[in-house]
Amino acid sequence: MNFSYHVEGYSVRHFVAGIFDRSRKPTTLSYAINFFLFSLIILNVAAVTLESIESVRARWQSQLTAFELLSVFIFTIEYLLRIWSAPENQELAGETGSKKRRAYIFS
């Protein structure tokens, strides 16, 4: 399946790859997204730590669970975007898009 959407002369897949590919020059958007993802990881560590305290868990269980589910959803979307855009990454081994995706998944 070949998606051929284009944004400013580049495919959307190329644009998405530019956000996640560390070998490319970082952009303001890639910094912002990576900062957001890093912050989300830190907040998840804090949430898991707080959830281990019985009084906090009793009071905030539903909010902590909702935050965890939202985080899993965001990280799943991120991972799927990385897999989808893997063929644009020149550093991955493979001659075809599916081989580059497989190389990313098993890296």
Side-chain angles (χ1 to χ4, degrees):
M1 188 179 305
N2 185 7
F3 296 102
S4 59
Y5 304 109
H6 290 14
V7 175
E8 297 179 20
Y10 293 101
S11 70
V12 172
R13 188 172 72 188
H14 182 82
F15 178 77
V16 170
I19 295 170
F20 298 119
D21 188 354
R22 292 179 187 219
S23 67
R24 295 187 191 184
K25 183 179 177 185
T27 64
T28 303
L29 179 61
S30 66
Y31 275 126
I33 289 175
N34 285 316
F35 179 80
F36 171 76
L37 293 171
F38 179 75
S39 300
L40 190 57
I41 291 167
I42 298 300
L43 289 171
N44 271 277
V45 170
V48 168
T49 303
L50 288 171
E51 195 172 22
S52 69
I53 303 168
E54 184 61 40
S55 60
V56 173
R57 182 175 48 244
R59 171 121 167 75
W60 299 98
Q61 180 67 46
S62 60
Q63 290 87 348
L64 291 168
T65 300
F67 178 69
E68 181 181 346
L69 292 173
L70 177 64
S71 298
V72 168
F73 176 76
I74 291 170
F75 289 129
T76 300
I77 297 300
E78 177 217 1
Y79 187 62
L80 292 173
L81 285 171
R82 287 179 183 265
I83 292 170
W84 176 65
S85 65
E88 300 292 327
N89 187 335
Q90 301 303 317
E91 294 183 355
L92 288 173
E95 299 168 0
T96 65
S98 60
K99 287 182 181 179
K100 285 189 173 206
R101 287 185 181 104
R102 197 172 312 123
Y104 176 77
I105 290 168
F106 293 107
S107 65

